[in-house]
Amino acid sequence: MTEYVKLEVRRALRDPGFIIMGFAMPVLMYLLFTNLGVGGDSKDKADYQAYYMIGMAAYGALGASMGIGTGVAEDKGHGWLRQLRVTPLSPLHVVIGRALTAGVTVLPAICAVLLAGRLVNGVHLALWQWAATVLLLWVGTVPFTLLGLGNGYGLTGQTTGVVSTACMMGLSVVGGLWVPIDAFPHWLAAVSRWTPTQRFGRLGWSVLDGRAPTAGTVAILGGWLAVFAGYAVLSYRRGARTA
């Protein structure tokens, strides 16, 4: 199991698409959006840089966690899943191994944006806030990992990439990771509050306010976790019959 996870992590980190979408793009977007055309006094700018740092760290984590599905779909098309059936790994171990792979690759994606915030923009947080932000965003990616796995097991390689990217971009925008929902129309802000990405972002934003995530945030994320877990299980069963 350990060797399998190591193999998958090495494969993910060698993927140029993963490096671009999981690391480079969120960092670039964060630095551009927080340093070009940002007015106001120094305190407002510092607050915006800290707020947007969380949003882009969540966006990078989202891309890294959902990107696991593209690799699954490609493996299914290349017959890798059939090869895994002759190993001592059970189907459950294979799925858990993929989920653990996403968990490992998500951490650098989160830390890359946080480092940019600290080293380039000079965002100041207490040590416990940095640690809590990393931990909460890391744990909060589990529902999106399951969504990515569901896409990977249920769709073809090319379709998975398109669908996962569309989900990632759409959920990020509607969930307020790019633009605060205070700038949304009332109806869109109401919808956003029920999205998994808005609640995912609130895990980190709550740390900036020095408090724990609310029960509502945890409950809504838990509901989406159940939905995406069911989707992943159904997709895996379907994919296992056709792989």
Side-chain angles (χ1 to χ4, degrees):
M1 183 73 169
T2 302
E3 295 303 318
Y4 174 59
V5 173
K6 288 180 180 178
L7 171 65
E8 295 298 346
V9 169
R10 288 196 297 267
R11 293 177 65 202
L13 295 178
R14 287 198 298 262
D15 183 1
F18 171 79
I19 298 299
I20 293 173
M21 296 302 295
F23 293 82
M25 187 64 70
V27 171
L28 180 61
M29 290 176 62
Y30 171 65
L31 294 178
L32 286 177
F33 291 170
T34 55
N35 289 283
L36 295 180
V38 178
D41 59 32
S42 58
K43 184 180 185 305
D44 289 340
K45 184 176 180 179
D47 290 343
Y48 176 73
Q49 289 174 336
Y51 178 92
Y52 205 72
M53 178 184 70
I54 300 298
M56 284 297 101
Y59 173 64
L62 184 64
S65 60
M66 290 193 63
I68 202 74
T70 302
V72 168
E74 291 174 349
D75 287 349
K76 184 177 66 175
H78 294 156
W80 177 237
L81 295 185
R82 288 194 298 270
Q83 295 295 321
L84 288 175
R85 292 194 189 122
V86 304
T87 70
L89 291 171
S90 69
L92 178 61
H93 286 152
V94 173
V95 175
I96 292 175
R98 281 291 191 171
L100 290 174
T101 299
V104 173
T105 55
V106 156
L107 278 175
I110 296 172
C111 292
V113 178
L114 297 186
L115 282 173
R118 180 66 186 93
L119 299 179
V120 179
N121 284 343
V123 174
H124 291 282
L125 298 177
L127 181 60
W128 74 266
Q129 289 178 302
W130 291 111
T133 298
V134 172
L135 179 61
L136 288 173
L137 291 182
W138 182 50
V139 174
T141 58
V142 175
F144 307 106
T145 297
L146 293 172
L147 175 59
L149 288 174
N151 289 340
Y153 285 121
L155 305 172
T156 64
Q158 183 176 7
T159 305
T160 298
V162 174
V163 171
S164 292
T165 300
C167 289
M168 179 182 67
M169 302 289 282
L171 287 173
S172 296
V173 173
V174 177
L177 299 185
W178 290 12
V179 178
I181 64 172
D182 292 342
F184 288 2
H186 177 73
W187 66 269
L188 184 57
V191 171
S192 177
R193 293 185 180 93
W194 291 96
T195 62
T197 38
Q198 169 61 203
R199 298 298 172 161
F200 178 42
R202 288 191 185 187
L203 293 178
W205 290 320
S206 65
V207 175
L208 296 182
D209 297 332
R211 54 181 175 79
T214 64
T217 291
V218 175
I220 291 175
L221 270 178
W224 282 108
L225 173 63
V227 171
F228 293 152
Y231 172 55
V233 170
L234 292 174
S235 295
Y236 178 77
R237 290 175 177 173
R238 177 186 175 188
R241 293 195 298 266
T242 58

